[in-house]
Amino acid sequence: MTPGGDEYVQLLDASGSQSKRPLFGLSNEQLTEAMHTLGQPAYRGKQLSQALYRQWNTTFDDISTLPKDLRLALSDTGFVVGLPEIAETFRSSDGTERYLVACGDGQTVETVWMPGGDGGEEGDGTEEAENLRATICVSSQIGCAVNCQFCLTARLGLLRNLTAGEIAGQVVAVLKRQNVKIGRDRINLVFMGMGEPFLNYDSFMDAVRLLVNEVGIAESRMTVSTSGIVPGIIRFGAEKVRPKLAISLNASNNLVREEVMPITKKWSINDVLEAVRRVPLRAKERITFEYVLLGGVNDRREHADEVAALIRRANIPAKVNLIVWNPGPGVDFHMPLAEDVARFQSRLMLGGIPAFIRRPRGRDIYAACGQLKRTLKSS
Ligand code: SAH
Ligand code: SF4
């Protein structure tokens, strides 16, 4: 029995008045099983998978590789194609786009497109000039239950988990919108949108597998960020196929971290570092520690030195991404001063820790880190 098979058969039996079941999000095995139930050979499952994950078809009419009566049978059985649709687009002056992606139940979730490369490999002459480079920031839940004090998404609370299809579907909807060609263009995925991926672990990892195996994006181009959910980090370490790992550290000691990230009372900084140390790293892989600089709260010289010491002591191959806090309505923190940001970075470097300052993207359209909130308007 393939994963999800029981549930699938039940849905078939009870079809008719049942809510429509999206095909997008099903694994190859599940698609083949669906075809099998309709008396179809396995290659039909493969064709369906190609239509969903390679051709990005949105309606049964588009799926020309399947005979018409088979498309009808799928529809009569209660299936819909189910690729999520972009309901609204907000465009920033820096080229960033924020989308509201419509999920099946009328809810929307936020996804961000950030054009432009990381610059790391530019100028080596091996790339075609017209190659597109971009990063897509993907949401894993609608809202979030973690309650970090500086984050706008936290204000929503957790509305619900996203399904694997809704997570992978955000990526495909944006790839389609931007006319991306897999294999030609360089696309990075960051699971850093709304929600805590490790509190929706199974759907998140199912989505990763779909994106790697069916859509064709390498896992080495993906990064997942967690607020430090220890059981999730431990499971993640055992995955054969997995994105790179980023940890939202955001404070240099438990006292400050408990204030800004109350989840620290459940898992201390040490608990998190211990779990991270047990994640087997690939060649040259480093863990990213994200550190949101909150003016006057965690941005002092001694904080930087404490972070450097923490990471050195943990003996984890790491780098630190410094993020200037992005303001949001009703979130009571201050942006750090530019000179404090620069000092923080240089203290980390002096302490032997590579540190980078992340350029804020799409702040004017509420697309920057921690600004995602399910809004129909741009404010
Ligand atoms: N829930 C996960 C991933 C989504 S948040 C996590 O917390 O890691 C992605 C990043 O945005 C995290 O590093 C988080 O600390 C940061 N962040 C949250 N609110 C922010 C804000 N207002 N300004 C800048 N960064 C913020
Ligand atoms: Fe959730 Fe991440 Fe925001 Fe914390 S920072 S509330 S974990 S989305």
Side-chain angles (χ1 to χ4, degrees), residues 5 48 62 125 167 255 275 349 358:
L48 193 48
D62 294 339
I167 298 171
L255 227 61
M349 306 277 260
R358 271 236 308 250

Side-chain angles (χ1 to χ4, degrees), residues 187-364:
I187 300 298
N188 294 309
L189 302 183
V190 294
F191 297 94
M192 299 186 185
M194 297 170 86
E196 169 48 61
F198 285 2
L199 290 180
N200 185 18
Y201 189 90
D202 291 324
S203 297
F204 159 66
M205 278 308 298
D206 282 347
V208 165
R209 282 183 281 268
L210 281 177
L211 290 164
V212 173
N213 300 331
E214 316 308 336
V215 179
I217 302 176
E219 71 266 29
S220 57
R221 297 229 157 270
M222 304 179 184
T223 304
V224 60
S225 172
T226 177
S227 55
I229 308 296
V230 165
I233 297 171
I234 293 169
R235 277 183 81 182
F236 189 71
E239 298 286 352
K240 280 200 288 292
V241 171
R242 62 162 178 81
K244 292 185 282 188
L245 181 61
I247 303 286
S248 296
L249 184 59
N250 296 345
S252 57
N253 59 56
N254 286 322
L255 227 61
V256 178
R257 199 170 189 271
E258 279 176 16
E259 288 297 313
V260 297
M261 297 179 73
I263 191 138
T264 311
K265 292 182 195 133
K266 188 154 181 156
W267 294 294
S268 69
I269 294 179
N270 247 340
D271 296 338
V272 174
L273 293 179
E274 221 8 79
V276 171
R277 245 156 45 84
R278 285 160 55 188
V279 175
L281 299 184
R282 296 178 283 246
K284 292 192 190 157
E285 186 178 357
R286 286 186 295 186
I287 299 290
T288 301
F289 288 98
E290 293 159 288
Y291 195 98
V292 179
L293 288 162
L294 306 161
V297 173
N298 66 358
D299 64 343
R300 308 287 84 205
R301 174 196 298 260
E302 55 274 21
H303 296 134
D305 294 343
E306 216 173 2
V307 169
L310 254 181
I311 297 176
R312 278 199 313 268
R313 223 175 320 133
N315 200 19
I316 297 168
K319 64 168 174 160
V320 172
N321 273 352
L322 297 172
I323 309 169
V324 171
W325 177 70
N326 294 306
V331 191
D332 197 14
F333 284 93
H334 300 285
M335 288 174 72
L337 300 174
E339 65 247 39
D340 291 341
V341 175
R343 181 182 59 189
F344 207 95
Q345 181 187 29
S346 60
R347 294 302 301 181
L348 285 177
M349 306 277 260
L350 276 173
I353 309 295
F356 304 86
I357 299 170
R358 271 236 308 250
R359 185 162 57 108
R361 303 294 302 269
R363 239 188 219 159
D364 54 339

Side-chain angles (χ1 to χ4, degrees), residues 144-148 150-154 193-196 227 248 250 261 370:
C144 185
V146 178
N147 198 25
C148 304
F150 47 81
C151 173
L152 201 54
T153 305
M194 297 170 86
E196 169 48 61
S227 55
S248 296
N250 296 345
M261 297 179 73

